[in-house]
Amino acid sequence: MANVLLVCFDNQAYGPNIRVLSSIANRGGHGAWMLFFYKPSPTFQHRFPETPGELAGFERLLDDLDINVVGLTVMTHEYDRAVEVAKRAKKKGRHVLWGGIHPTVRPLECLEYGDAVCIADAEGVFVPYLDALDSGGDRRLPSFVYRGEDPEEVRKSGRIYIERDLDSVPLPDYNIENSFYGAGHDVLAMTWADYKRLNTWEGSYYRLLSSRGCLYHCTYCMNNFFWRCYGEDYLRRRNPKNCVDELVWAREKMPFIRGVNIQDDSFFMGSDEWLEEFIGLYKEKINLPFVCRLIPKYTNRDRLALLADAGLIHVEVGLQTGSRRMAHSVYERFQENENFLEVDKLLSSYGVTKTYDTLVDNVYETPEDVLATIDVLLALKRPYYIGAYSLTPFPGTEYYDKIVADGLLPKMADAYNSPLYATDPDQYYTPKTLRWLIEASPYTPSPILRYCRRHWRSNLVGWLSSRLMRWRNVVVGIINWGRNRAPWFLQIGLRLAGFWGRLRLKRALRFGMPELALEQPVTGREEGEQLD
C-alpha cells in the first residue's frame, strides 16, 4: 500500500483536484492525506515562499505518516515554491509526482525535480500507478511522462487519459482529519475553524464543478492549450442528478454552507434540457442562493429567468475588452458588445448582481482600444463590479507564442512571478489614467466618467482619476474586509442582494420582459449536437 501526501499551493484551502485524487487513492486501498500551503500570489518585488518552519513541518509529516509518494499540483506562479518542496521530498527519498496546469504545459521543467509528470487527467490511472509503484510493476501508464521521454511524443502516441465519464469521479475528500496546512511557523493539522478561516466567505459557499472545459478558446487562456491538445474531447459535463447529489452530501458534511459557487468556466453551455433538469432538482433539494460564470453568447431570457427563480444572485462575466479589433484579431474571442450589453440589461432586470472582468497592460493595445472598453462600461446598468487584470502570457497558449515571436515577453506580466497583476517597472502598462477610470467606473457617476473619458489626457482628469481610484480602494477594501474577516457583513450583503433580486424578479414576471435581440444559446459542441 502506498501512502500519498498531496500538496496544493493555492491561496485558499480549496484544491479540487487533490481532494478528488485523495478520494480515489483511499477508495483504491491506499492512504492519502492533503497539505495546503496557502500563500498570496508573488509579485516582482515580493515572493512568498514556504518558511523554514513550514518546510521542516513538511519533512516531519513525511515521517509521521510514513509517506512514500508526494504529489504536487502546481500552477505556473507556484512553480518556484513547488521546486523547493520537491527538493525536500527527494532528499528524504520520496517518490515525487507533478501534476496540474504548469506540469502539463512544461513537463520537462518539472521532471528535473521529480520522478514523473502527469500531463492529462489522472482519475482513471492514479490508482494503477500507485499499485505499480507499490508492487514494482510497469508504471508507463497513460498520462504519465518520465525522465528521458519526449512529452510531445507521448501525446502524439495517444498515451494519455481523458476522464470522459465525470459521473464516475468520486466525491471530493473533505475529511478534515486527512488535512494539514502551512501555518507560517509549522505545519499543523487542520480543523473546521481553520478551513473556514482559509477560504473566502468562511467556506460558506460550496464550490461545485458541473463541467470541464470551455466553449471558447481565447488565445490568452489555458483552455486554448487544452483545445489545441485534445479538441472537443476536453468539453465534458456531469449528469444534473450527480451534481445535486454532491450538494446534498456537502450540506450534510458541512452544515455551515449557506450557498453554492458554481465554478464552471461557462455554466450556461449545453442544452436547455440539462439546465431545466438541474434547476428542478436544485430547487427541490438545495434551494440556496448561488453564483456562477456565464458567456453572454449562450445566455437568453428564458435561461436567466429559470436560474433567477432558483436563487441565482450573482454572475461573473468576461468582458475583457470593448475593442472589436482586440477581441477578434488578438484574443480570437468572438463576442459582440451589443450582445454583451443586452445580457447586462437582462441581468439587472432579474436582480442579478454582476462582476465583469477586463484585461489591461497589453502591449498590442492602443488608447483607442482602452477607450472602447470604457465606452462599454458607460453603457452598463448599475450596480456592477469590475476586475481589472494584467494580461499575462501563460506558457502553452497562442498568445504566449505570439509574444515570444515578437520579442515582447519582457514587456508583459510574468506568469512565474506576477501573474494577472503586473509589478515589474520595466513592463508595459495601460496608461495610468485609463486604467484608473476602468477600475473606478462602478463607483463613479456616469457624467463624471464620460467627461474623464473625453478629456483623459488632461492634467485635471489625471488628478481627478487618482482621487476616484482612492475612493474605489476604500469601497473595495470594505467589501474585501466583509468577505474575508466579517461573515456577518457578508450575510447582510447577500440577504440584501437576494431581497433586491426577488423584487426585480417579481417585477419582471409581473410586467413581462421586453424582447431582446439575443443570440439563441448553442446547445452543444456544434449546432444540434448536445453537450449533456
Side-chain angles (χ1 to χ4, degrees):
M1 181 182 82
N3 285 333
V4 187
L5 181 63
L6 298 164
V7 185
C8 176
F9 298 88
D10 203 353
N11 61 356
Q12 297 184 52
Y14 175 37
N17 41 9
I18 69 168
R19 291 188 184 278
V20 166
L21 289 179
S22 180
S23 289
I24 289 172
N26 283 313
R27 191 175 66 172
H30 300 280
W33 293 263
M34 296 170 289
L35 171 58
F36 297 89
F37 277 135
Y38 71 101
K39 302 284 182 181
S41 295
T43 69
F44 180 74
Q45 295 91 351
H46 302 288
R47 303 290 192 274
F48 302 96
E50 277 55 52
T51 66
E54 288 174 326
L55 293 172
F58 165 71
E59 293 188 25
R60 187 186 68 249
L61 201 62
L62 297 181
D63 294 331
D64 291 348
L65 299 176
D66 195 23
I67 297 296
N68 47 27
V69 180
V70 174
L72 311 174
T73 179
V74 183
M75 299 177 70
T76 302
H77 67 277
E78 300 160 350
Y79 171 73
D80 291 336
R81 293 165 55 204
V83 165
E84 187 58 39
V85 172
K87 286 180 178 177
R88 297 292 183 113
K90 291 300 294 178
K91 183 180 177 182
K92 298 278 288 183
R94 268 52 173 193
H95 189 88
V96 175
L97 294 175
W98 288 70
I101 290 177
H102 186 73
T104 298
V105 175
R106 292 265 173 100
L108 294 179
E109 191 173 81
C110 301
L111 273 174
E112 294 181 35
Y113 307 98
D115 297 282
V117 170
C118 183
I119 61 170
D121 289 350
E123 286 87 349
V125 291
F126 190 47
V127 167
Y129 185 94
L130 296 178
D131 290 342
L133 186 64
D134 194 39
S135 65
D138 185 5
R139 290 184 283 110
R140 296 192 180 276
L141 297 166
S143 293
F144 290 101
V145 176
Y146 308 91
R147 290 189 180 187
E149 290 191 309
D150 183 343
E152 294 310 311
E153 289 301 317
V154 171
R155 284 195 180 98
K156 290 176 183 177
S157 71
R159 204 183 86 197
I160 58 172
Y161 177 85
I162 300 295
E163 180 54 75
R164 291 179 171 82
D165 181 12
L166 298 186
D167 293 333
S168 69
V169 176
L171 295 171
D173 185 355
Y174 276 92
N175 291 317
I176 204 72
E177 60 271 15
N178 292 351
S179 305
F180 299 84
Y181 73 100
H185 65 288
D186 201 351
V187 166
L188 302 178
M190 188 178 293
T191 65
W192 282 117
D194 296 322
Y195 171 83
K196 293 178 182 180
R197 179 171 51 81
L198 299 177
N199 285 285
T200 54
W201 304 345
E202 289 217 320
S204 62
Y205 265 56
Y206 181 79
R207 296 177 176 95
L208 174 75
L209 276 166
S210 78
S211 66
R212 296 185 189 178
C214 180
L215 286 166
Y216 276 7
H217 37 89
C218 309
T219 58
Y220 55 82
C221 179
M222 286 312 305
N223 280 307
N224 176 269
F225 173 83
F226 295 126
W227 266 95
R228 289 198 286 169
C229 284
Y230 311 120
E232 293 179 351
D233 285 344
Y234 208 70
L235 286 172
R236 297 148 289 163
R237 192 160 217 174
R238 299 163 62 183
N239 180 282
K241 183 178 183 301
N242 183 265
C243 296
V244 174
D245 285 347
E246 177 180 340
L247 295 176
V248 171
W249 165 83
R251 291 192 72 185
E252 293 173 353
K253 181 83 176 174
M254 293 170 274
F256 52 83
I257 289 174
R258 297 291 180 265
V260 178
N261 185 350
I262 300 174
Q263 296 280 296
D264 302 36
D265 287 323
S266 178
F267 181 62
F268 279 39
M269 76 177 184
S271 67
D272 290 338
E273 291 76 17
W274 191 98
L275 275 177
E276 290 167 3
E277 183 180 350
F278 174 84
I279 290 302
L281 291 168
Y282 187 89
K283 289 178 67 176
E284 175 189 350
K285 298 186 176 182
I286 307 301
N287 200 30
L288 289 174
F290 67 97
V291 303
C292 71
R293 290 119 191 95
L294 65 82
I295 296 176
K297 185 175 180 179
Y298 306 112
T299 306
N300 63 22
R301 182 183 58 182
D302 292 340
R303 288 182 159 202
L304 275 179
L306 183 72
L307 270 67
D309 183 55
L312 176 64
I313 61 170
H314 185 78
V315 296
E316 294 184 15
V317 189
L319 168 61
Q320 315 310 2
T321 179
S323 164
R324 197 171 192 272
R325 180 187 77 86
M326 292 296 296
H328 289 207
S329 301
V330 180
Y331 299 157
E332 295 184 16
R333 181 182 175 86
F334 301 102
Q335 174 176 280
E336 303 301 333
N337 290 340
E338 296 77 12
N339 176 238
F340 183 91
L341 292 172
E342 287 169 347
V343 170
D344 172 75
K345 279 193 251 180
L346 195 53
L347 289 164
S348 289
S349 296
Y350 282 111
V352 179
T353 59
K354 309 156 294 188
T355 293
Y356 294 130
D357 292 338
T358 59
L359 292 173
V360 294
D361 304 333
N362 180 359
V363 289
Y364 297 115
E365 72 187 15
T366 65
E368 288 70 29
D369 293 319
V370 186
L371 290 170
T373 299
I374 296 175
D375 287 338
V376 174
L377 300 181
L378 277 164
L380 294 175
K381 293 284 186 180
R382 302 190 184 206
Y384 66 89
Y385 308 95
I386 283 292
Y389 302 101
S390 299
L391 182 58
T392 304
F394 287 101
T397 63
E398 289 181 87
Y399 185 82
Y400 178 88
D401 295 341
K402 176 178 174 58
I403 284 288
V404 171
D406 292 346
L408 296 172
L409 190 61
K411 292 296 182 181
M412 296 295 293
D414 190 333
Y416 287 85
N417 68 27
S418 57
L420 305 182
Y421 298 98
T423 53
D424 186 337
D426 293 330
Q427 292 170 194
Y428 167 80
Y429 291 90
T430 295
K432 187 164 50 178
T433 297
L434 295 180
R435 166 81 181 248
W436 285 342
L437 292 177
I438 288 175
E439 295 197 63
S441 63
Y443 320 102
T444 303
S446 294
I448 295 177
L449 184 61
R450 196 171 288 111
Y451 176 86
C452 291
R453 180 252 184 264
R454 287 199 303 268
H455 304 284
W456 71 273
R457 294 182 187 273
S458 71
N459 291 334
L460 173 62
V461 170
W463 174 85
L464 180 58
S465 64
S466 68
R467 269 53 184 180
L468 293 173
M469 192 62 184
R470 287 184 186 179
W471 167 241
R472 174 261 180 202
N473 290 340
V474 169
V475 176
V476 171
I478 293 171
I479 293 172
N480 287 337
W481 170 79
R483 183 179 68 173
N484 297 315
R485 301 296 181 189
W488 59 267
F489 180 91
L490 170 69
Q491 292 303 323
I492 291 174
L494 292 175
R495 286 181 184 277
L496 289 174
F499 177 70
W500 181 70
R502 285 193 295 274
L503 287 179
R504 297 303 297 254
L505 178 60
K506 286 180 180 178
R507 181 182 183 279
L509 294 176
R510 181 180 177 186
F511 296 105
M513 289 295 301
E515 291 291 339
L516 298 176
L518 297 178
E519 299 182 37
Q520 289 299 310
V522 175
T523 58
R525 306 180 187 185
E526 301 293 342
E527 292 288 348
E529 182 185 355
Q530 292 183 350
L531 178 63
D532 292 332

